[in-house]
Amino acid sequence: MSEHKSDISGWLVRRATWHLWVVLGAVLAALVVRTARVTSDGGMDNAIVVRAARVWLAGGSPYDDSHFLYLPSAVLAAVPQVLIPRDVLGVLVPVGVVGCLAGGWGCALRLHGVALRSRFAALGLIGLAVGFAPFAHLVLLGNWTATAVLALPLGLLLAGRGRWVSAGAVFGAAVALKPLLAPMALLFVFAGRWRGLGVMVVVPVAASAGAAALLPDPAGFFTRTLPFLLRGDDGFVRLYEASPVAVLPRVGVPWVVAAGVASVAAGVGVGCAYRRWRGGGVDSLRLVETGAMLMLSAFLVSRPSYDHYLLVVVPVVLAGVPCERAVGRGVWFWVAMVPQVPGVSWPYLEAVQRRAFRDAATLCGLAVAVAVHCVRSGRVVAPPPPLPFPSSRGAAPSTPPGAPPPDPRAFRPPADPARSARSLESGEASGPSGVGGVGD
């Protein structure tokens, strides 16, 4: 990313002063301290996983809790938290969540070629923490979505450097903790990276199969969790879901119609992602926009789909703002973000249980903005044929395919500089054409 541009992007990518880092540290520290003071077990959502691990250590099945929506491998991953005192855990978890969010932001910046010490690196993370409500919400909940926020840009960064197998391992490990990045398997299909896809599938399958063998109810995820997700009959969960499948029935739309609309929208989104991938262009933007469209398509139809899921997509897209023709530079991307500005009281949506309508507006707005950008960027314009030019070794000039061969009489070799200088000093006249050296 060039620092010599005269516009705002050039100013943003220059090195930040220490004042910005102090402000960033104060903001992130405030989030950690507040979370540690008002929560236990690191947050409400993290407590669900820790409680499942405690139940398993006591000989029970973690899937007795209908709100435990993770693969069996997550149970073993949560066991170390059981061994940590609660007071210490209440601090470590928000620190870990903030670390994942900051690490994901750093990977997204490197993916787009932006320096980690730039003004944009500091200001962007401050903006997310202060101006994007799901950021603080995710820290408060301690939800394991933070692992996906880190894994998505890290995996895309590895893929952008040609390390697709390593990218598959990163995505697979994230799915083993929380199956949120499963739609990224389609990116490997689009790219034809079958070894990377195999690694992405094998890692969570092997981890979950090994963990399930240690549970008293090995098939609990399939017999209890999946039916719960497909039915979506939990009244408490439904109030906070942002997908059209959950929001439209709340305004009187039949569930079948809502599911159909969401499914069609998700299918169109996958098509737009494939078009963007086929369109080529800058590798970083191509990877980010294709991956973002795949994830947004899944969020449109998945159950559940919460506001903090937006953090999987927004930072990696926002990090590309200094790049030309990035989707983050579009006005509709920023319009979709407006409902997530903290401190704004929206009429009839003040209640916490109604914020899902605001989240749905942002989700659908981002999906439309990214989809339109993918379609426009997917239009491949063939470059003009190269013009003939003489070879530096005196070979015949190159010509476009299908063009008639050049006339040998029309080719003039470059003039000898030394001869031209002597000719000027001696007053020697040029050739008949007046351009020098070789007569007709």
Side-chain angles (χ1 to χ4, degrees), residues 121-147:
L123 290 173
L125 194 53
I126 293 173
L128 285 171
V130 175
F132 190 57
F135 190 102
H137 193 202
L138 179 59
V139 177
L140 183 65
L141 292 173
N143 194 282
W144 285 25
T145 298
T147 59

Side-chain angles (χ1 to χ4, degrees), residues 430-436:
S430 60
S433 62
V435 214

Side-chain angles (χ1 to χ4, degrees), residues 2 6 117 133 139 228 245 249 257 347 435:
S2 175
S6 59
R117 296 183 178 182
V139 177
F228 173 83
V245 182
V257 176
V435 214

Side-chain angles (χ1 to χ4, degrees), residues 44-50 52 62-63 65-78 138 141-147 174-180 208 215 218 220-222 224-226 228-229 304 306 308-309:
M44 182 177 67
D45 289 357
N46 185 71
I48 294 175
V49 190
V50 175
Y63 293 104
D65 184 356
S66 61
H67 291 150
F68 180 72
L69 307 177
Y70 297 80
L71 293 172
S73 51
V75 178
L76 296 185
L138 179 59
L141 292 173
N143 194 282
W144 285 25
T145 298
T147 59
V175 171
L177 295 176
K178 183 171 184 176
L180 196 61
S208 295
L215 301 181
F221 180 81
F222 299 99
R224 300 187 186 186
T225 301
L226 280 184
F228 173 83
L229 292 175
Y306 301 121
H308 50 78
Y309 286 11

